[in-house]
Amino acid sequence: QVQLVESGGGLVQAGWSLRLSCAASGSIFSINVMAWYRQAPGKQRDLVAKISSGGRTTYADFVKGRFTISRDNAANTVYLQMNSLRPEDTAVYYCNADVRKSAHDYYTNYWGQGTLVTVSE
């Protein structure tokens, strides 16, 4: 089994920073793309940022210049550094990863349980 466990969420004021972490554990042979999504109350889940195993990154327009995604391949961990936070960034942030359990398996997509980020005025 594979688990993704997020941490680092919390309540901050507008303009402050937070760093989210997501550690993958279990039967892992390799991880391809790792990503962060977010879902605000009553809204759909949106991609925030993703990073390939080689370090190529993609960002949603609404976080460009403020958020930075990075990963530690040896630790099977992905990070999201969030700066200049705004009230509209308030959401549950979910980690997502494509994981292969062995050299003979296909990649399977996994989700974490989510971590709440609340940004006050």
Side-chain angles (χ1 to χ4, degrees), residues 41-105:
K43 296 189 177 181
Q44 67 181 19
R45 189 174 297 188
D46 292 323
L47 174 68
V48 174
K50 62 181 179 181
I51 183 168
S52 71
S53 57
R56 186 187 315 176
T57 59
T58 302
Y59 294 93
D61 286 342
F62 52 78
V63 301
K64 281 182 179 177
R66 299 189 299 126
F67 292 9
T68 302
I69 190 170
S70 60
R71 65 190 283 174
D72 181 339
N73 289 332
N76 292 328
T77 300
V78 63
Y79 305 96
L80 186 68
Q81 178 66 42
M82 304 185 295
N83 299 329
S84 303
L85 283 162
R86 304 167 180 169
E88 54 264 40
D89 294 319
T90 295
V92 177
Y93 284 71
Y94 295 92
C95 177
N96 179 273
D98 292 327
V99 180
R100 191 166 53 160
K101 294 183 179 180
S102 76
H104 307 290
D105 285 336

